[in-house]
Amino acid sequence: MKTNDVILQTTTKIIFFIIFLFSIHIFFAGHYTPGGGFVGGLLTASGIVLLLLAFDLKTVTTALPINYTVMTAIGLLLALSTAAGAIFFNVPFFTHAFDYFHLPLLGKQSLHTAMLFDTGVYLVVVGVTMTIIQSIGADD
């Protein structure tokens, strides 16, 4: 029998978005300060685990219809291709490039290929963590 914890479920909906927004902040701040794809991915996965604790697996899967195995594969492809992309420019593996661009509403910003690598790491961490959690939670 499943209990109906209205307070826990309502609070979880609010806290999930706070955790998710903080994970996005940590992800973007990670290039100049501690953080990045790994920590941001762990925070996102912990927010989804919080949803799994407040609701059941079927409800969360219906609300977030994400195939985490595909997410992991896309993240690996993105991270490895970003790291190996430097070889095409005759520079060592994992050499990243950056330049400054003027973006509308944001002004002068530096854009780095390391951000693409961090995006791949973020997707891999969320994908692997949630695949493990769902496989454990799906057992009867």
Side-chain angles (χ1 to χ4, degrees):
M1 183 173 99
K2 179 157 174 47
T3 59
N4 189 6
D5 297 325
V6 177
I7 295 173
L8 175 65
Q9 291 175 351
T10 305
T11 307
T12 297
K13 290 176 189 177
I14 296 167
I15 292 176
F16 168 75
F17 283 107
I18 293 170
I19 291 172
F20 181 70
L21 290 175
F22 185 62
S23 75
I24 297 299
H25 167 73
I26 290 294
F27 172 77
F28 282 115
H31 191 70
Y32 297 108
T33 58
F38 186 78
V39 178
L42 286 178
L43 279 169
T44 300
S46 68
I48 298 171
V49 167
L50 181 62
L51 286 175
L52 288 170
L53 291 173
F55 300 94
D56 59 343
L57 182 61
K58 184 178 178 185
T59 305
V60 175
T61 305
T62 304
L64 299 172
I66 300 169
N67 185 342
Y68 294 107
T69 308
V70 172
M71 177 186 279
T72 302
I74 291 171
L76 274 173
L77 183 66
L78 186 61
L80 287 176
S81 62
T82 304
I87 294 173
F88 293 112
F89 297 102
N90 202 23
V91 292
F93 186 74
F94 262 118
T95 302
H96 292 285
F98 74 96
D99 203 356
Y100 293 95
F101 296 93
H102 182 76
L103 301 175
L105 301 175
L106 297 175
K108 185 178 178 183
Q109 297 291 321
S110 62
L111 297 178
H112 305 256
T113 57
M115 181 64 81
L116 294 173
F117 178 78
D118 269 349
T119 303
V121 171
Y122 180 89
L123 293 174
V124 167
V125 169
V126 173
V128 167
T129 305
M130 292 314 301
T131 300
I132 293 169
I133 296 294
Q134 283 185 340
S135 66
I136 292 170
D139 290 342
D140 289 334

